[in-house]
Amino acid sequence: MTEDLEWRVLSESEKERERKGRRKSLLLCVSTFIHCHCFLPTLSTQQHTIKPLSPSHAIPTPHSKFPSDSDTQSLFFSGRAERQKLLNQKGCVVWITGLSGSGKSTLACSLSRELYSRGKLSYVLDGDNLRHGLNKDLGFKAEERTENIRRTGEVAKLFADAGLICVASLISPYRRDRDTCRSMLPDANFIEARHHEAILIVFMNMPLELCELRDPKGLYKLARAGKIKGFTGIDDPYEPPLNCEVHVPEASKAIEIKQDGDVCPTPTVMAGQVVTYLEKEGFLEH
Ligand SMILES: Nc1ncnc2c1ncn2[C@@H]1O[C@H](COP(=O)(O)OS(=O)(=O)O)[C@@H](OP(=O)(O)O)[C@H]1O
Ligand SMILES: Nc1ncnc2c1ncn2[C@@H]1O[C@H](COP(=O)(O)OP(=O)(O)O)[C@@H](O)[C@H]1O
């Protein structure tokens, strides 16, 4: 059953009466509309004592006594620090880039499992999967890939803000698009720490020949036969990250996963490489 209520700030004398116990009041800022009641958690910084008005006051008018926008803003509970503390980790994004078949999804899965086993919460955003939902309206033209990366970057940013380690695995072939994602994730999470960015780029540096040999979906074969146009690595470019050197500048974190001679590291070893990095950089503690 929905009761139509509006809430207003109490006067000082009403507050006094409340204190004497004549009526229980709420320590919440609530704006209530017909059939739509939205409750915020108890607020630690500022408290407004409020009580319901009669139903006849239900529809807010421009003259209603609501807290001002700035009051309301200041009442919102941001909680990023608290979430990170709760999870004992720092929200961040591990962005895995590389050719189709280079092992992005395999690493994402293995990494997520490894983090889980260490009690760390992660979530995988896989390009291939997102293209069935969030990004199903997008194809593979340059501007559509750009939009694909932008949207995924925005979602990843939200996960990072929620305190999770978001693992995004997309071909993301264009340097400019990856840089855009970098710029979306500045150091807001890490005011006190040495981090400059909350994003780590992982480059799956596997040779095209290997990816083509794997060809788990048969797409390279179709692309070679001209049945798929604009396939990355065949007739569409892949721009490798430039910042995967051993001495990575602080402001542009990136690591590279590659073959040792002809041997590809196992999924566990690849995940271990990333976890070691996250650990060293302090992401796995709050
Ligand atoms: N033209 C073309 N080029 C590249 N890839 C293609 C293409 N058409 C379909 N596919 C399949 O789509 C998957 C890549 O999706 P992404 O969202 O990661 O691509 S991108 O980042 O927007 O470039 C990719 O999945 P992965 O193999 O997991 O990378 C392919 O299976
Ligand atoms: N480190 C690895 N060693 C051996 N095979 C791998 C490795 N990583 C991935 N593969 C295999 O390569 C294929 C492509 O891997 P996948 O993770 O789907 O690549 P992507 O997501 O980049 O397209 C899969 O068949 C997978 O089992």
Side-chain angles (χ1 to χ4, degrees):
M1 197 177 79
T2 310
E3 196 182 356
D4 300 330
L5 298 173
E6 184 185 11
W7 303 79
R8 67 181 172 81
V9 178
L10 292 186
S11 68
E12 280 310 307
S13 60
E14 285 171 308
K15 280 185 194 169
E16 189 50 37
R17 278 206 303 280
E18 291 296 316
R19 269 183 228 117
K20 286 179 183 158
R22 287 180 45 195
R23 184 181 291 142
K24 220 176 182 182
S25 56
L26 295 172
L27 297 176
L28 293 173
C29 173
V30 183
S31 57
T32 308
F33 297 87
I34 298 173
H35 305 305
C36 176
H37 300 261
C38 171
F39 289 86
L40 302 175
T42 306
L43 304 158
S44 55
T45 49
Q46 199 179 339
Q47 296 179 339
H48 284 220
T49 308
I50 48 179
K51 69 172 189 177
L53 292 172
S54 71
S56 63
H57 291 86
I59 300 172
T61 69
H63 310 297
S64 295
K65 266 276 196 180
F66 284 112
S68 68
D69 278 356
S70 57
D71 280 350
T72 316
Q73 285 299 319
S74 72
L75 289 170
F76 276 99
F77 174 78
S78 154
R80 183 195 295 135
E82 287 80 0
R83 288 190 290 272
Q84 297 191 154
K85 194 170 171 190
L86 187 71
L87 296 168
N88 192 26
Q89 62 188 49
K90 289 196 181 82
C92 62
V93 176
V94 176
W95 189 281
I96 306 172
T97 172
L99 293 171
S100 174
S102 60
K104 301 183 297 296
S105 310
T106 304
L107 170 58
C109 183
S110 178
L111 176 59
S112 191
R113 239 191 344 255
E114 176 59 25
L115 289 169
Y116 179 82
S117 74
R118 290 167 177 246
K120 304 298 165 194
L121 190 58
S122 66
Y123 193 81
V124 175
L125 297 175
D126 190 274
D128 221 9
N129 292 339
L130 294 178
R131 282 176 173 278
H132 293 289
L134 178 69
N135 297 329
K136 71 176 175 191
D137 56 324
L138 302 175
F140 290 90
K141 292 188 193 128
E143 63 273 21
E144 291 173 295
R145 292 187 199 248
T146 296
E147 176 59 9
N148 185 34
I149 304 312
R150 188 196 68 79
R151 279 185 207 169
T152 308
E154 291 288 354
V155 174
K157 182 180 167 179
L158 293 176
F159 275 108
D161 186 57
L164 274 71
I165 298 164
C166 181
V167 183
S169 57
L170 295 91
I171 295 179
S172 40
Y174 306 131
R175 212 168 281 136
R176 193 195 50 214
D177 296 342
R178 295 192 300 264
D179 287 346
T180 304
C181 282
R182 271 193 190 288
S183 61
M184 276 184 211
L185 284 143
D187 63 351
N189 278 332
F190 303 104
I191 295 157
E192 81 294 349
R194 56 212 141 101
H195 303 282
H196 295 288
E197 287 172 340
I199 183 168
L200 165 68
I201 303 279
V202 179
F203 172 34
M204 301 299 295
N205 189 4
M206 299 297 159
L208 175 64
E209 302 72 50
L210 174 67
C211 300
E212 207 170 342
L213 200 66
R214 288 174 170 169
D215 201 10
K217 300 171 202 156
L219 295 177
Y220 280 103
K221 206 166 283 163
L222 291 173
R224 287 287 184 200
K227 291 181 181 156
I228 297 180
K229 300 282 180 211
F231 197 80
T232 306
I234 305 296
D235 55 349
D236 218 54
Y238 179 82
E239 301 168 355
L242 297 173
N243 45 1
C244 290
E245 292 81 24
V246 177
H247 301 292
V248 178
E250 274 280 341
S252 54
K253 289 188 202 40
I255 60 176
E256 181 179 26
I257 293 191
K258 57 181 179 186
Q259 290 180 300
D260 182 6
D262 275 350
V263 181
C264 187
T266 65
T268 310
V269 169
M270 299 194 295
Q273 200 176 328
V274 179
V275 168
T276 302
Y277 195 92
L278 293 174
E279 202 163 37
K280 182 167 69 73
E281 293 291 314
F283 287 95
L284 303 187
E285 58 193 10
H286 81 86

